[in-house]
Amino acid sequence: MSENKPKQENLPRVGFYICHCGSNISGMIDVAEVQKYVAGLPGVAVSRDYKYMCSDPGQEMIAKDIKEHKLERLVVAACSPNLHEETFRKAAARGGLNPFYFQMVNIREHAAWVHTDKKAATEKAKDLVRAAVARVRFHQALEKKRVPVDPNVLVVGGGIAGIHAALTLANAGKKVTLVERDATIGGHMAMFDKTFPTLDCAACILTPKMSAVKAHPNITLWTYSEVNKVEGSVGNFKVTVKRKPRYVKEDLCVGCMECIDACVFKTPTFPDKFNQGLGKRKPVYIDFPQATPKVVLVDPQTCIQLKTGKCKKTCAEACDRNAFDFDQKEELKEIQVGAIVLATGFKTYDAKRDHQYGYGRYPGVYTALEIERLVNASGPTSGEIVLRDGKHPRAVGIVHCVGSRDEKTNKWCSRVCCMYSLKLAHLIKEHSGAEVYNFYIDMRAPGKAYEEFYDKLLGEGVHFIRGRVAEITDWAMTPDEEGRLVMRVEDTLAGFVRRIPVDMVVLSTGLEPQADAQEVRRRFNIGCGTEGFFQERHPKLAPVNTFTDGIYIAGACQAPRDIPDTVAQAGAAAAEALALIDAGFVELEPNTSHVIEDECCGCKSCVPLCPYTAITFDEAKKKAVINEVLCKGCGVCAAACPSGSIRQNLFEDDEIFSEIKGVLTK
């Protein structure tokens, strides 16, 4: 430790602290040399090194020195400010110093971890620290501002993630609006027959939660609705929701379904989307018997009355509650919320993109989601495994990793394909007694009881062939292959190419972002990764937060995940929203930009540059206006302003130029 007096008059007294970070920093940087070097810089009153500066003893040492040595500025050289800037600001405050009289230098990522030459890394650390000591003299005392938080929450998406998040928040006493674009909540899970690895009935564990959402006094459920516009910022979002017409009054319909029986179409005629097109429905329909809300829906694309106005309207006549309203129009509703949970889910990979598997060309090729509906007791075949021609398959091949772990399509692992392939193998064998072949690249079963489930399948006589299927054809080479599909695959364990005739092929398709993920991202002003899934603030420390405060993500809209992980993440997102709301206010970082009105020329060049839509233009004053609640301190506007009228706290000219001078001056 070195102590001295400021060598020049009127210089603030600076305390300097350098962290060893175990061996992360000290392994590449001579910490003692940097500490001694800084002790000789003008204005430095205290210079110390410590093994773990972020630890409680390290922080206490800083707070104690501030009081004992009357420090007026603080510089800490350690790791990333993302991790510990707030830690040292609090230490400064405990010592009685304004937290913004502090500057942090990242000598771990910026020096120790990117150098292999210890001498060069040490010299770079000296340069960085010297610059910080020079700039911190010009820091100004700043204060965080508080804004109140609206206690209501919006949950977008009615799958299992949205359902769980909404129930968690509502059970905590918060008013929740749950918006779902489909006519019913339930999402993909509602289409499943059973869940792995316990083989629970999916409907049995999901529908009670769906009913709880509908019945909960704190939840407003808006299905067949979409978020149209989002304004405002953390704590005070104004959201416009578009409610599409059902042509049936929700508050009158009781779901008796007599209108469906009375429809002028005597038999179901149109492809049933919920059953993946394997069944038919009428123009007036309900997705499935446990749909929530249990309210029928009229399809304007197929309803004669809505298309031509010349129908007998037997459906409406059959309704003794007069629930039908063919004149319904689209409605826009505005709500005010303090936090938003996005749980918009995923879409499955389009198997037609892999032409070699013949999906859409061979009737015997199905996707896994289609098989989910076939084995489901409420599905189009009441759980009977039959081909499109009505025959029962004698042999079934299941192809893993279709649209995942593939350089030509999607590189990422979809995490659930291996396990749901095993589940479907079990169910197909149970329902049909067919021979089942699993074609896999690697078997991935990392969850609780997942490996045991794999072992169970091995004992059930399901065949496992390691190798990516090269082609599926109907070209027969032997009498046994005639009239069947032939799967050609290199068995990488046996070391030869095999031809396996089957009657049915199941393609285990991967998970992708929703088709409108980019549009949703822009609407909510959050980020996406390169693959299109929503971007979390930090993969380990903030996995449900986004870069827009007050907006949280849960479930497969962030990345592929199974049901247990989705529910856990939904609970975490709800907890983050609760923490925000229960605090009653949010503190704003003061490193925001502001406009010097007298100097603003009104050119508007800053307005479109702001990535957070924080800048508007006051037409009356002809000046730019920055909303400090929305501003994230990125500095784009300050750098681009041609008149120099936009300034940013903590990045004033004096601070920046002194830092540059500090780097360049030896």
Side-chain angles (χ1 to χ4, degrees), residues 282-316:
K282 296 182 179 180
V284 54
Y285 67 101
I286 195 167
D287 278 327
F288 58 102
Q290 300 89 356
T292 303
K294 195 173 182 180
V295 177
V296 298
L297 172 73
V298 180
D299 178 11
Q301 303 299 318
T302 55
C303 173
I304 295 175
Q305 175 61 25
L306 291 173
K307 288 174 68 179
T308 67
K310 297 177 180 177
C311 181
K312 296 178 182 176
K313 297 190 283 189
T314 50
C315 54

Side-chain angles (χ1 to χ4, degrees), residues 259-520:
C259 54
I260 299 176
D261 296 333
C263 177
V264 293
F265 286 89
K266 298 302 179 188
T267 58
T269 307
F270 306 99
D272 183 353
K273 180 183 172 186
F274 187 81
N275 281 320
Q276 303 298 300
L278 297 173
K280 303 289 186 183
R281 61 161 175 78
K282 296 182 179 180
V284 54
Y285 67 101
I286 195 167
D287 278 327
F288 58 102
Q290 300 89 356
T292 303
K294 195 173 182 180
V295 177
V296 298
L297 172 73
V298 180
D299 178 11
Q301 303 299 318
T302 55
C303 173
I304 295 175
Q305 175 61 25
L306 291 173
K307 288 174 68 179
T308 67
K310 297 177 180 177
C311 181
K312 296 178 182 176
K313 297 190 283 189
T314 50
C315 54
E317 291 175 1
C319 181
D320 56 6
R321 301 176 66 87
N322 294 320
F324 278 79
D325 179 4
F326 290 104
D327 296 322
Q328 265 189 0
K329 303 294 181 189
E330 187 177 281
E331 291 182 277
L332 294 178
K333 301 273 191 181
E334 279 190 0
I335 55 173
Q336 199 78 27
V337 296
I340 298 172
V341 176
L342 287 178
T344 52
F346 64 94
K347 76 178 179 71
T348 54
Y349 175 78
D350 181 5
K352 288 181 180 176
R353 291 166 59 187
D354 285 350
H355 303 289
Q356 69 272 25
Y357 295 147
Y359 181 73
R361 189 166 75 248
Y362 301 125
V365 181
Y366 294 77
T367 66
L369 206 51
E370 289 172 338
I371 299 301
E372 291 278 3
R373 297 311 302 155
L374 279 185
V375 299
N376 197 301
S378 63
T381 59
S382 301
E384 188 177 5
I385 304 288
V386 293
L387 295 161
R388 288 186 171 90
D389 60 7
K391 295 179 181 177
H392 292 85
R394 291 175 291 155
V396 178
I398 301 177
V399 184
H400 294 214
C401 296
V402 178
S404 60
R405 301 185 65 203
D406 188 344
E407 291 288 332
K408 297 177 182 176
T409 55
N410 299 321
K411 292 181 181 178
W412 59 86
C413 171
S414 290
R415 292 191 60 187
V416 294
C417 311
C418 283
M419 291 308 298
Y420 79 60
S421 296
L422 296 177
K423 178 193 72 176
L424 290 178
H426 169 84
L427 294 176
I428 290 170
K429 201 164 184 63
E430 181 182 73
H431 284 243
S432 67
E435 288 291 319
V436 180
Y437 299 87
N438 267 271
F439 300 90
Y440 68 100
I441 303 173
D442 292 312
M443 190 58 67
R444 299 189 171 187
K448 184 178 181 181
Y450 287 9
E451 188 67 20
E452 292 87 335
F453 188 69
Y454 176 33
D455 290 338
K456 170 184 166 68
L457 265 289
L458 290 173
E460 290 181 356
V462 173
H463 306 286
F464 288 89
I465 299 172
R466 186 175 181 275
R468 188 185 288 275
V469 174
E471 186 181 31
I472 295 170
T473 70
D474 58 356
W475 179 49
M477 292 181 67
T478 65
D480 184 49
E481 295 178 353
E482 290 180 359
R484 310 178 75 183
L485 295 169
V486 179
M487 307 181 74
R488 193 163 64 85
V489 57
E490 180 185 3
D491 188 330
T492 57
L493 294 180
F496 61 90
V497 176
R498 301 178 65 170
R499 290 174 60 87
I500 299 176
V502 297
D503 307 297
M504 171 185 277
V505 172
V506 182
L507 302 180
S508 297
T509 50
L511 276 54
E512 291 185 334
Q514 290 278 18
D516 61 348
Q518 288 294 334
E519 185 181 336
V520 174

Side-chain angles (χ1 to χ4, degrees), residues 532-544:
F533 291 105
F534 296 152
Q535 186 73 47
E536 68 282 349
R537 182 183 287 264
H538 191 283
K540 296 178 180 65
L541 302 180
V544 300

